[in-house]
Coordinates of all heavy atoms in Angstrom, one line a residue:
M15 N -29.2 81.1 -31.6 CA -29.0 81.5 -33.0 C -29.7 80.4 -33.9 O -29.5 79.2 -33.6 CB -27.5 81.4 -33.3 CG -27.2 82.3 -34.5 SD -25.3 82.4 -34.7 CE -25.1 80.8 -35.7
R16 N -30.4 80.8 -34.9 CA -31.0 79.9 -35.8 C -30.0 79.2 -36.8 O -29.0 79.8 -37.1 CB -32.1 80.5 -36.7 CG -33.1 81.3 -35.8 CD -34.4 81.4 -36.5 NE -35.3 80.3 -36.1 CZ -36.4 79.9 -36.8 NH1 -36.7 80.6 -37.9 NH2 -37.2 79.0 -36.4
E17 N -30.2 78.1 -37.2 CA -29.3 77.4 -38.1 C -29.5 78.0 -39.5 O -30.5 78.5 -39.9 CB -29.7 75.9 -38.2 CG -29.4 75.2 -36.8 CD -28.0 75.4 -36.3 OE1 -27.1 75.5 -37.1 OE2 -27.8 75.2 -35.1
K18 N -28.4 77.7 -40.3 CA -28.4 78.3 -41.7 C -29.5 77.9 -42.5 O -30.2 78.7 -43.1 CB -27.1 77.8 -42.3 CG -26.7 78.6 -43.5 CD -25.2 78.3 -43.8 CE -25.1 78.1 -45.3 NZ -24.0 77.2 -45.6
W19 N -29.9 76.6 -42.4 CA -30.9 76.1 -43.3 C -32.3 76.7 -42.9 O -33.1 77.0 -43.7 CB -31.1 74.6 -43.3 CG -31.5 74.0 -42.0 CD1 -30.6 73.7 -41.0 CD2 -32.8 73.8 -41.6 NE1 -31.5 73.2 -39.9 CE2 -32.8 73.3 -40.3 CE3 -34.0 74.0 -42.1 CZ2 -33.9 73.0 -39.6 CZ3 -35.2 73.8 -41.4 CH2 -35.1 73.2 -40.1
E20 N -32.4 77.0 -41.7 CA -33.7 77.6 -41.2 C -33.8 79.0 -41.6 O -34.9 79.5 -42.1 CB -33.7 77.6 -39.7 CG -34.0 76.2 -39.1 CD -34.2 76.2 -37.6 OE1 -33.3 76.9 -36.9 OE2 -35.1 75.8 -37.1
K21 N -32.7 79.8 -41.7 CA -32.8 81.2 -42.1 C -33.2 81.2 -43.7 O -33.9 81.9 -44.0 CB -31.5 81.8 -41.9 CG -31.3 82.4 -40.6 CD -30.0 83.3 -40.6 CE -29.2 82.8 -39.3 NZ -27.8 82.8 -39.6
Q22 N -32.6 80.2 -44.3 CA -32.8 80.2 -45.8 C -34.2 79.6 -46.2 O -34.8 80.1 -47.1 CB -31.8 79.3 -46.4 CG -30.4 80.0 -46.4 CD -29.3 79.0 -46.9 OE1 -29.5 77.8 -47.0 NE2 -28.2 79.6 -47.3
L23 N -34.6 78.7 -45.4 CA -35.8 77.9 -45.9 C -37.0 77.9 -45.0 O -38.1 77.9 -45.7 CB -35.3 76.4 -46.0 CG -34.2 76.0 -47.0 CD1 -33.8 74.7 -46.8 CD2 -34.6 76.3 -48.4
A24 N -36.8 78.1 -43.8 CA -37.9 77.8 -42.9 C -39.1 78.7 -43.1 O -40.2 78.4 -42.9 CB -37.5 77.8 -41.4
C25 N -38.7 80.0 -43.5 CA -39.8 81.0 -43.6 C -40.2 81.3 -45.0 O -40.7 82.4 -45.3 CB -39.5 82.2 -42.9 SG -39.3 82.0 -41.0
L26 N -40.2 80.3 -45.9 CA -40.7 80.5 -47.2 C -42.2 80.9 -47.2 O -42.9 80.3 -46.3 CB -40.5 79.2 -48.1 CG -39.1 78.8 -48.5 CD1 -39.2 77.6 -49.4 CD2 -38.5 79.9 -49.3
I27 N -42.6 81.7 -48.1 CA -43.9 82.1 -48.1 C -44.8 81.4 -49.2 O -45.9 81.6 -49.4 CB -44.1 83.6 -48.4 CG1 -43.3 84.1 -49.5 CG2 -43.6 84.3 -47.1 CD1 -43.7 85.5 -50.0
E28 N -44.0 80.5 -49.8 CA -44.7 79.8 -51.0 C -44.2 78.4 -51.1 O -42.9 78.2 -50.8 CB -44.3 80.5 -52.2 CG -45.2 80.1 -53.4 CD -44.8 81.0 -54.7 OE1 -43.9 80.7 -55.4 OE2 -45.6 82.0 -54.9
C29 N -45.0 77.4 -51.2 CA -44.6 76.0 -51.2 C -43.9 75.8 -52.6 O -44.5 76.0 -53.6 CB -45.8 75.1 -51.1 SG -45.3 73.3 -51.5
P30 N -42.6 75.4 -52.6 CA -41.9 75.3 -53.9 C -42.4 74.1 -54.7 O -42.2 74.1 -56.0 CB -40.5 75.0 -53.4 CG -40.5 74.5 -52.1 CD -41.8 75.0 -51.5
R31 N -43.1 73.3 -54.2 CA -43.7 72.2 -54.9 C -45.0 72.5 -55.7 O -45.1 72.2 -56.9 CB -43.9 71.0 -53.9 CG -44.2 69.6 -54.6 CD -43.1 69.0 -55.2 NE -41.9 68.9 -54.4 CZ -41.7 67.9 -53.5 NH1 -42.4 66.9 -53.4 NH2 -40.5 67.9 -52.8
C32 N -45.9 73.1 -55.1 CA -47.2 73.4 -55.7 C -47.5 74.9 -55.8 O -48.5 75.3 -56.3 CB -48.3 72.7 -54.8 SG -48.6 73.5 -53.3
N33 N -46.5 75.8 -55.3 CA -46.6 77.2 -55.4 C -47.8 77.7 -54.6 O -48.3 78.8 -54.8 CB -46.8 77.7 -56.9 CG -45.6 77.4 -57.7 OD1 -44.4 77.5 -57.2 ND2 -45.7 76.9 -58.9
G34 N -48.2 76.9 -53.7 CA -49.3 77.4 -52.8 C -48.8 78.3 -51.7 O -47.6 78.3 -51.5
T35 N -49.6 79.3 -51.2 CA -49.2 80.2 -50.2 C -48.9 79.5 -49.0 O -49.7 78.7 -48.5 CB -50.2 81.2 -50.1 OG1 -50.5 81.8 -51.4 CG2 -49.7 82.4 -49.3
L36 N -47.8 79.9 -48.3 CA -47.5 79.4 -47.0 C -47.5 80.6 -46.1 O -46.8 81.6 -46.3 CB -46.2 78.7 -46.9 CG -46.0 77.3 -47.4 CD1 -44.6 76.9 -47.4 CD2 -46.9 76.4 -46.5
E37 N -48.3 80.6 -45.0 CA -48.3 81.7 -44.1 C -47.5 81.3 -42.9 O -47.2 80.1 -42.6 CB -49.7 82.1 -43.7 CG -50.5 82.6 -44.8 CD -51.9 83.2 -44.5 OE1 -52.1 83.7 -43.3 OE2 -52.8 83.1 -45.3
A38 N -47.1 82.3 -42.1 CA -46.2 82.0 -41.0 C -46.9 80.9 -40.0 O -46.3 80.1 -39.3 CB -45.9 83.2 -40.2
K39 N -48.3 81.0 -39.9 CA -48.9 80.0 -39.0 C -49.2 78.6 -39.7 O -49.6 77.7 -39.0 CB -50.2 80.7 -38.6 CG -51.2 80.8 -39.8 CD -52.5 81.4 -39.3 CE -53.5 81.8 -40.4 NZ -53.7 80.9 -41.4
D40 N -48.9 78.5 -41.0 CA -49.1 77.2 -41.7 C -48.0 76.3 -41.3 O -46.8 76.7 -41.4 CB -49.2 77.4 -43.1 CG -50.5 78.1 -43.5 OD1 -51.5 78.0 -42.7 OD2 -50.5 78.8 -44.5
E41 N -48.3 75.0 -41.1 CA -47.3 74.1 -40.9 C -46.6 73.7 -42.2 O -47.3 73.7 -43.3 CB -47.8 72.8 -40.3 CG -48.2 73.0 -38.8 CD -48.6 71.6 -38.1 OE1 -49.2 70.9 -38.8 OE2 -48.3 71.5 -37.0
R42 N -45.3 73.5 -42.2 CA -44.6 73.0 -43.3 C -43.6 71.9 -42.8 O -43.4 71.8 -41.7 CB -43.9 74.1 -44.1 CG -42.7 74.8 -43.4 CD -43.1 75.8 -42.4 NE -44.1 76.8 -42.8 CZ -43.9 78.0 -43.4 NH1 -42.7 78.3 -43.8 NH2 -44.9 78.7 -43.6
I43 N -43.1 71.1 -43.8 CA -42.2 70.0 -43.4 C -41.2 69.9 -44.5 O -41.5 70.2 -45.7 CB -43.0 68.8 -43.1 CG1 -42.2 67.6 -42.5 CG2 -43.8 68.3 -44.4 CD1 -43.0 66.5 -41.8
L44 N -40.0 69.4 -44.2 CA -38.9 69.3 -45.2 C -39.2 68.0 -46.0 O -39.5 67.0 -45.5 CB -37.6 69.3 -44.6 CG -37.1 70.5 -43.8 CD1 -35.7 70.3 -43.3 CD2 -37.2 71.7 -44.7
S45 N -39.0 68.2 -47.4 CA -39.0 67.1 -48.2 C -37.7 66.1 -48.1 O -36.7 66.7 -47.8 CB -39.0 67.5 -49.6 OG -38.8 66.5 -50.6
I46 N -38.0 64.9 -48.2 CA -36.8 64.0 -48.1 C -36.1 63.9 -49.4 O -35.0 63.3 -49.5 CB -37.2 62.6 -47.5 CG1 -38.0 61.9 -48.4 CG2 -37.7 62.7 -46.1 CD1 -38.0 60.4 -48.3
Y47 N -36.8 64.4 -50.4 CA -36.2 64.3 -51.8 C -35.2 65.6 -52.1 O -34.1 65.3 -52.5 CB -37.3 64.2 -52.8 CG -38.0 62.9 -52.7 CD1 -39.3 62.8 -52.1 CD2 -37.5 61.7 -53.1 CE1 -40.0 61.6 -51.9 CE2 -38.2 60.5 -53.0 CZ -39.4 60.5 -52.4 OH -40.1 59.3 -52.4
D48 N -35.8 66.7 -51.9 CA -34.9 67.9 -52.2 C -34.7 68.8 -51.0 O -34.1 69.8 -51.2 CB -35.6 68.6 -53.4 CG -37.0 69.0 -53.1 OD1 -37.4 69.0 -51.9 OD2 -37.7 69.5 -54.0
H49 N -35.2 68.4 -49.8 CA -34.8 69.1 -48.6 C -35.4 70.5 -48.6 O -35.1 71.4 -48.0 CB -33.4 69.2 -48.3 CG -32.8 67.9 -48.4 ND1 -33.2 66.8 -47.6 CD2 -31.8 67.3 -49.2 CE1 -32.5 65.7 -47.9 NE2 -31.6 66.0 -48.8
Q50 N -36.5 70.8 -49.3 CA -37.2 72.1 -49.4 C -38.4 71.8 -48.4 O -38.9 70.8 -48.3 CB -37.8 72.3 -50.8 CG -36.8 72.5 -51.8 CD -36.1 73.8 -51.7 OE1 -36.7 74.9 -51.7 NE2 -34.7 73.8 -51.7
P51 N -38.7 73.0 -47.7 CA -39.9 73.0 -46.9 C -41.2 73.0 -47.8 O -41.4 73.9 -48.7 CB -39.9 74.3 -46.1 CG -38.5 74.9 -46.4 CD -38.1 74.4 -47.7
I52 N -41.9 72.0 -47.7 CA -43.1 71.9 -48.5 C -44.4 71.9 -47.6 O -44.3 71.7 -46.4 CB -43.1 70.6 -49.4 CG1 -43.0 69.3 -48.6 CG2 -42.0 70.8 -50.5 CD1 -43.0 68.1 -49.4
C53 N -45.6 72.1 -48.3 CA -46.7 72.2 -47.5 C -47.2 70.8 -47.1 O -46.7 69.8 -47.7 CB -47.9 73.0 -48.2 SG -48.5 72.1 -49.6
M54 N -48.1 70.6 -46.2 CA -48.5 69.3 -45.7 C -49.2 68.5 -46.9 O -49.2 67.3 -46.8 CB -49.5 69.4 -44.5 CG -48.7 70.1 -43.2 SD -47.1 69.3 -42.9 CE -47.6 67.6 -42.3
V55 N -49.9 69.3 -47.7 CA -50.6 68.5 -48.9 C -49.6 67.8 -49.8 O -49.6 66.7 -50.0 CB -51.4 69.5 -49.7 CG1 -52.0 68.8 -50.9 CG2 -52.4 70.1 -48.8
C56 N -48.4 68.5 -50.1 CA -47.3 68.0 -50.8 C -46.7 66.9 -50.1 O -46.2 65.8 -50.6 CB -46.4 69.0 -51.2 SG -47.1 70.2 -52.5
K57 N -46.5 67.0 -48.7 CA -45.8 66.0 -47.9 C -46.6 64.7 -48.0 O -46.1 63.6 -48.2 CB -45.7 66.4 -46.5 CG -44.8 65.5 -45.7 CD -43.5 65.3 -46.2 CE -42.7 64.4 -45.3 NZ -41.2 64.4 -45.7
R58 N -48.0 64.8 -47.9 CA -48.7 63.6 -48.0 C -48.6 62.9 -49.4 O -48.6 61.6 -49.4 CB -50.2 63.9 -47.8 CG -50.6 63.9 -46.2 CD -52.0 64.0 -45.9 NE -52.6 65.3 -46.2 CZ -52.6 66.3 -45.2 NH1 -52.1 65.9 -44.0 NH2 -53.0 67.5 -45.4
E59 N -48.4 63.7 -50.4 CA -48.3 63.1 -51.7 C -46.9 62.4 -51.8 O -46.8 61.4 -52.3 CB -48.3 64.2 -52.8 CG -49.7 64.3 -53.4 CD -49.7 65.4 -54.4 OE1 -48.8 65.7 -55.1 OE2 -50.8 66.1 -54.4
E60 N -46.0 63.1 -51.1 CA -44.6 62.5 -51.2 C -44.6 61.2 -50.4 O -43.9 60.3 -50.9 CB -43.7 63.5 -50.4 CG -42.2 63.2 -50.5 CD -41.3 64.2 -50.0 OE1 -41.1 65.3 -50.6 OE2 -40.8 64.0 -48.8
E61 N -45.4 61.1 -49.4 CA -45.4 59.9 -48.5 C -46.0 58.7 -49.3 O -45.7 57.5 -49.0 CB -46.1 60.1 -47.2 CG -45.3 60.9 -46.3 CD -46.2 61.4 -45.1 OE1 -47.4 61.2 -45.1 OE2 -45.6 61.9 -44.1
Q62 N -46.7 59.0 -50.4 CA -47.3 58.0 -51.2 C -46.3 57.3 -52.2 O -46.5 56.3 -52.7 CB -48.4 58.5 -52.0 CG -49.5 59.2 -51.2 CD -50.1 58.3 -50.2 OE1 -50.6 57.2 -50.5 NE2 -50.3 58.8 -48.9
G63 N -45.2 58.0 -52.4 CA -44.1 57.5 -53.3 C -43.7 56.2 -52.9 O -43.5 55.9 -51.7
A64 N -43.4 55.3 -53.9 CA -43.1 54.0 -53.6 C -41.7 53.9 -52.9 O -41.5 53.0 -52.2 CB -43.0 53.2 -54.9
D65 N -40.9 54.8 -53.2 CA -39.5 54.7 -52.6 C -39.3 55.7 -51.3 O -38.2 55.9 -50.9 CB -38.4 55.0 -53.6 CG -38.6 56.4 -54.2 OD1 -39.6 57.1 -54.0 OD2 -37.6 57.0 -54.8
Y66 N -40.5 56.2 -50.9 CA -40.4 57.2 -49.7 C -39.7 56.5 -48.6 O -38.8 57.1 -48.0 CB -41.8 57.6 -49.4 CG -41.7 58.6 -48.2 CD1 -41.5 59.9 -48.5 CD2 -42.0 58.2 -46.9 CE1 -41.5 60.9 -47.4 CE2 -41.9 59.1 -45.8 CZ -41.7 60.4 -46.1 OH -41.6 61.3 -45.1
E67 N -40.0 55.3 -48.1 CA -39.5 54.8 -47.1 C -38.0 54.5 -47.2 O -37.2 54.6 -46.3 CB -40.2 53.4 -46.7 CG -40.6 53.4 -45.2 CD -41.6 52.3 -44.9 OE1 -42.8 52.4 -45.1 OE2 -41.1 51.2 -44.4
S68 N -37.6 53.9 -48.3 CA -36.2 53.6 -48.5 C -35.4 54.9 -48.6 O -34.3 55.0 -48.2 CB -36.0 52.7 -49.7 OG -36.5 53.2 -50.8
R69 N -36.0 55.9 -49.2 CA -35.2 57.2 -49.3 C -35.1 57.8 -47.9 O -33.9 58.4 -47.7 CB -36.1 58.2 -50.1 CG -35.9 58.0 -51.6 CD -34.5 58.2 -52.1 NE -34.1 59.6 -52.0 CZ -34.1 60.4 -53.0 NH1 -34.5 60.1 -54.2 NH2 -33.7 61.7 -52.8
S70 N -36.1 57.7 -47.0 CA -35.9 58.3 -45.8 C -34.8 57.6 -44.9 O -34.1 58.2 -44.2 CB -37.2 58.5 -44.9 OG -38.2 57.6 -45.4
K71 N -34.8 56.2 -45.1 CA -33.8 55.4 -44.4 C -32.4 55.8 -44.9 O -31.5 56.1 -44.0 CB -34.1 54.0 -44.7 CG -34.1 53.1 -43.4 CD -34.2 51.7 -43.8 CE -35.4 50.9 -43.0 NZ -35.5 49.6 -43.5
Q72 N -32.3 55.8 -46.1 CA -31.0 56.2 -46.8 C -30.4 57.5 -46.3 O -29.3 57.7 -46.0 CB -31.3 56.4 -48.3 CG -30.2 55.8 -49.2 CD -30.8 55.8 -50.7 OE1 -31.0 56.9 -51.1 NE2 -30.8 54.7 -51.3
M73 N -31.5 58.5 -46.3 CA -31.1 59.8 -45.9 C -30.5 59.9 -44.4 O -29.5 60.4 -44.2 CB -32.4 60.7 -46.0 CG -32.0 62.1 -45.7 SD -33.6 63.1 -45.7 CE -34.2 62.5 -44.2
I74 N -31.2 59.2 -43.6 CA -30.8 59.1 -42.2 C -29.4 58.4 -42.1 O -28.6 58.9 -41.4 CB -31.8 58.5 -41.3 CG1 -33.1 59.2 -41.3 CG2 -31.4 58.2 -39.9 CD1 -34.3 58.4 -40.7
E75 N -29.3 57.4 -42.7 CA -28.0 56.6 -42.6 C -26.8 57.5 -43.1 O -25.8 57.5 -42.7 CB -28.1 55.3 -43.4 CG -28.7 54.2 -42.6 CD -29.2 53.0 -43.4 OE1 -28.8 53.0 -44.7 OE2 -30.0 52.2 -42.9
Q76 N -27.1 58.2 -44.2 CA -26.0 59.0 -44.9 C -25.7 60.1 -43.9 O -24.5 60.4 -43.8 CB -26.7 59.6 -46.2 CG -25.6 60.3 -46.9 CD -26.3 61.1 -48.1 OE1 -27.4 60.7 -48.5 NE2 -25.7 62.2 -48.5
W77 N -26.6 60.6 -43.2 CA -26.4 61.7 -42.4 C -25.6 61.3 -41.1 O -24.8 62.0 -40.5 CB -27.6 62.5 -41.9 CG -28.0 63.3 -43.1 CD1 -27.4 63.6 -44.2 CD2 -29.3 64.0 -43.1 NE1 -28.1 64.4 -45.0 CE2 -29.3 64.7 -44.4 CE3 -30.4 64.2 -42.3 CZ2 -30.4 65.5 -44.8 CZ3 -31.4 64.9 -42.6 CH2 -31.5 65.5 -43.9
I78 N -25.9 60.1 -40.6 CA -25.3 59.6 -39.5 C -23.8 59.2 -39.8 O -22.9 59.5 -38.9 CB -26.0 58.3 -38.9 CG1 -27.4 58.6 -38.3 CG2 -25.2 57.6 -38.0 CD1 -28.2 57.4 -38.0
S79 N -23.5 58.8 -41.0 CA -22.2 58.5 -41.4 C -21.3 59.6 -41.7 O -20.1 59.6 -41.7 CB -22.2 57.5 -42.5 OG -22.7 58.1 -43.7
E80 N -21.9 60.7 -41.9 CA -21.2 61.9 -42.3 C -20.8 62.7 -41.0 O -21.5 63.1 -40.2 CB -22.0 62.9 -43.2 CG -21.8 62.6 -44.6 CD -22.9 63.3 -45.5 OE1 -23.3 64.4 -45.0 OE2 -23.2 62.9 -46.6
T81 N -19.4 62.9 -40.9 CA -18.9 63.5 -39.7 C -19.1 65.1 -40.0 O -19.2 65.8 -38.9 CB -17.5 63.2 -39.5 OG1 -16.7 63.3 -40.6 CG2 -17.4 61.8 -38.9
E82 N -18.9 65.4 -41.1 CA -19.0 67.0 -41.4 C -20.1 67.3 -42.3 O -20.3 66.5 -43.3 CB -17.7 67.4 -42.1 CG -16.5 67.4 -41.2 CD -15.6 68.6 -41.4 OE1 -15.8 69.3 -42.3 OE2 -14.6 68.7 -40.6
T83 N -20.9 68.1 -41.9 CA -22.1 68.5 -42.6 C -22.2 70.1 -42.8 O -21.8 70.7 -41.8 CB -23.3 67.8 -42.1 OG1 -24.4 68.3 -42.8 CG2 -23.4 68.1 -40.6
H84 N -22.7 70.5 -43.8 CA -23.0 71.9 -43.9 C -24.1 72.4 -43.2 O -24.5 73.5 -43.1 CB -23.0 72.4 -45.3 CG -23.9 71.7 -46.3 ND1 -23.7 70.4 -46.7 CD2 -25.1 72.0 -46.8 CE1 -24.7 70.0 -47.4 NE2 -25.6 71.0 -47.5
Y85 N -25.0 71.4 -42.7 CA -26.1 71.7 -41.9 C -25.6 71.6 -40.5 O -25.2 70.5 -39.9 CB -27.2 70.8 -42.1 CG -27.8 70.7 -43.5 CD1 -27.6 69.7 -44.3 CD2 -28.4 71.8 -44.0 CE1 -28.0 69.7 -45.6 CE2 -28.8 71.8 -45.3 CZ -28.7 70.7 -46.2 OH -29.1 70.8 -47.4
G86 N -25.6 72.7 -39.8 CA -25.0 72.8 -38.4 C -25.6 71.8 -37.5 O -24.9 71.0 -36.9
D87 N -26.9 71.8 -37.3 CA -27.6 71.0 -36.4 C -28.2 69.7 -37.2 O -29.3 69.8 -37.6 CB -28.7 71.8 -35.7 CG -29.5 70.9 -34.7 OD1 -29.1 69.8 -34.5 OD2 -30.5 71.4 -34.2
L88 N -27.4 68.7 -37.2 CA -27.8 67.5 -38.0 C -29.1 66.9 -37.5 O -30.0 66.6 -38.2 CB -26.7 66.5 -38.0 CG -26.9 65.2 -38.8 CD1 -26.9 65.7 -40.2 CD2 -25.7 64.3 -38.6
A89 N -29.2 66.8 -36.1 CA -30.4 66.1 -35.6 C -31.6 67.0 -35.9 O -32.7 66.4 -36.2 CB -30.1 65.9 -34.1
G90 N -31.4 68.2 -35.7 CA -32.5 69.2 -35.8 C -33.0 69.2 -37.3 O -34.2 69.2 -37.5
F91 N -32.0 69.1 -38.2 CA -32.4 69.2 -39.6 C -33.1 67.9 -39.9 O -34.2 67.9 -40.7 CB -31.1 69.3 -40.4 CG -31.3 69.5 -41.9 CD1 -31.9 70.7 -42.4 CD2 -31.1 68.5 -42.8 CE1 -32.2 70.9 -43.7 CE2 -31.3 68.7 -44.2 CZ -31.9 69.9 -44.6
C92 N -32.6 66.8 -39.5 CA -33.2 65.5 -39.8 C -34.6 65.5 -39.2 O -35.6 65.0 -39.9 CB -32.3 64.4 -39.1 SG -32.5 62.8 -39.9
Y93 N -34.8 65.9 -38.1 CA -36.0 66.0 -37.3 C -37.2 66.6 -38.2 O -38.3 66.2 -38.1 CB -35.8 66.7 -36.0 CG -37.1 66.9 -35.1 CD1 -37.5 65.8 -34.3 CD2 -37.8 68.1 -35.2 CE1 -38.7 66.0 -33.6 CE2 -38.9 68.2 -34.4 CZ -39.4 67.2 -33.6 OH -40.5 67.4 -32.8
H94 N -36.8 67.7 -38.8 CA -37.8 68.5 -39.5 C -38.2 67.9 -40.8 O -39.1 68.4 -41.5 CB -37.2 69.9 -39.8 CG -37.2 70.8 -38.5 ND1 -36.1 70.9 -37.7 CD2 -38.2 71.5 -37.9 CE1 -36.4 71.7 -36.7 NE2 -37.7 72.1 -36.8
H95 N -37.6 66.8 -41.1 CA -38.1 66.0 -42.4 C -39.4 65.1 -41.9 O -40.0 64.6 -42.8 CB -37.1 65.1 -43.0 CG -36.1 65.9 -43.7 ND1 -35.1 66.7 -43.1 CD2 -36.0 66.0 -45.1 CE1 -34.4 67.2 -44.1 NE2 -34.8 66.8 -45.3
F96 N -39.5 64.9 -40.7 CA -40.5 64.0 -40.2 C -41.5 64.6 -39.2 O -42.5 64.0 -38.9 CB -39.9 62.8 -39.5 CG -38.9 62.1 -40.4 CD1 -37.5 62.4 -40.3 CD2 -39.3 61.3 -41.5 CE1 -36.7 61.7 -41.2 CE2 -38.5 60.7 -42.4 CZ -37.1 60.9 -42.3
N97 N -41.2 65.8 -38.8 CA -42.2 66.5 -38.0 C -42.5 67.9 -38.5 O -41.6 68.7 -38.7 CB -41.5 66.7 -36.6 CG -41.3 65.3 -35.9 OD1 -42.1 64.7 -35.4 ND2 -40.0 64.8 -36.1
P98 N -43.7 68.2 -38.7 CA -44.1 69.6 -39.2 C -43.7 70.6 -38.3 O -43.7 70.4 -37.1 CB -45.6 69.5 -39.3 CG -46.0 68.1 -39.1 CD -44.9 67.4 -38.4
F99 N -43.4 71.8 -38.9 CA -43.0 72.9 -38.0 C -43.6 74.2 -38.6 O -44.1 74.2 -39.7 CB -41.5 73.1 -37.9 CG -40.8 73.2 -39.2 CD1 -40.4 74.5 -39.6 CD2 -40.5 72.2 -40.1 CE1 -39.8 74.7 -40.8 CE2 -39.9 72.3 -41.3 CZ -39.5 73.6 -41.7
K100 N -43.6 75.2 -37.8 CA -44.0 76.5 -38.2 C -42.9 77.5 -38.4 O -41.9 77.3 -37.8 CB -45.1 77.1 -37.4 CG -46.4 76.2 -37.5 CD -47.4 76.7 -36.5 CE -48.6 75.6 -36.5 NZ -49.6 75.9 -35.5
C101 N -43.2 78.5 -39.1 CA -42.1 79.5 -39.4 C -41.7 80.1 -38.0 O -42.5 80.5 -37.2 CB -42.7 80.6 -40.3 SG -41.5 82.0 -40.5
Ligands
ZN5 ZN1 -47.5 72.3 -51.6

């Protein structure tokens, strides 16, 4: 069974950041800022952000400390912020 966030987000056909088309075969990755799947071009831009590293650290720490989360698979969700995936 796929996780909730995947059903809602993983198969977007448009990058919410730049409105570029995303095809099923295109890699996408979750933003650490708004947790939307964005295209790799936007991810590279995000990585240039001055607070990118502290934000990702913060995000991971927050998730580790939360015992209950609305994202069923915490590790999987976290993982997809740092590893591109396909629909
Ligand atoms: Zn984009």
Side-chain angles (χ1 to χ4, degrees):
M15 203 179 88
R16 306 205 95 197
E17 299 299 335
K18 196 165 139 208
W19 68 268
E20 287 184 310
K21 273 186 231 141
Q22 291 171 338
L23 298 173
C25 291
L26 286 184
I27 53 166
E28 196 176 80
C29 171
R31 191 71 52 88
C32 67
N33 296 320
T35 308
L36 283 174
E37 293 183 38
K39 61 175 171 50
D40 291 333
E41 287 189 320
R42 69 277 319 270
I43 190 162
L44 297 181
S45 164
I46 61 157
Y47 294 100
D48 55 15
H49 312 299
Q50 296 285 308
I52 54 176
C53 71
M54 295 311 291
V55 178
C56 290
K57 186 63 178 186
R58 271 190 286 274
E59 263 173 44
E60 187 175 284
E61 284 169 352
Q62 304 303 312
D65 63 343
Y66 179 81
E67 227 169 277
S68 56
R69 280 295 294 261
S70 22
K71 228 188 232 173
Q72 221 174 57
M73 187 186 73
I74 294 167
E75 277 164 12
Q76 188 190 335
W77 285 351
I78 290 171
S79 66
E80 273 171 21
T81 48
E82 291 216 356
T83 172
H84 54 287
Y85 300 112
D87 177 7
L88 187 64
F91 186 70
C92 207
Y93 176 86
H94 286 95
H95 284 75
F96 304 100
N97 297 276
F99 60 98
K100 290 176 187 174
C101 177

